[in-house]
Amino acid sequence: MEIKVLGTGCQKCKEVEKLVREVLAEINVPANVEKVEDIAQIVQYGVMLTPGLVINGKVKVSGRVPNKADIKKLIEEEN
């Protein structure tokens, strides 16, 4: 599973990355988590508001910090 957290390094972006890693540990799902901070790469996903969450190439969240339950559901849908 490929998970990308899109954001330029703001506090909300860091929070999303932290929550994703916590959820993965809790549900014991292996995944490659990558932080994408390059604006050009973020725009390629069509994300205009960060933070963004991309799972297996699909944009799942943009412009908000999802809660752990939301993240868990999104990961399980793609697993």
Side-chain angles (χ1 to χ4, degrees):
M1 177 174 292
E2 292 286 326
I3 299 176
K4 296 184 181 194
V5 178
L6 311 179
T8 56
C10 68
Q11 194 56 43
K12 288 182 180 180
C13 302
K14 292 175 184 172
E15 179 69 12
V16 172
E17 182 180 15
K18 179 174 118 10
L19 291 172
V20 165
R21 292 185 187 280
E22 286 176 6
V23 169
L24 288 170
E26 288 171 11
I27 62 176
N28 200 25
V29 172
N32 180 24
V33 180
E34 180 184 346
K35 182 80 170 63
V36 178
E37 294 186 353
D38 181 61
I39 297 289
Q41 284 183 296
I42 293 169
V43 171
Q44 284 179 344
Y45 284 101
V47 172
M48 297 297 151
L49 293 172
T50 59
L53 180 62
V54 177
I55 302 176
N56 291 339
K58 300 174 198 146
V59 177
K60 298 293 189 175
V61 176
S62 175
R64 67 180 180 89
V65 177
N67 63 36
K68 284 174 91 170
D70 289 340
I71 294 170
K72 181 179 177 187
K73 183 175 179 245
L74 293 170
I75 290 171
E76 289 174 341
E77 286 172 358
E78 290 294 322
N79 196 12

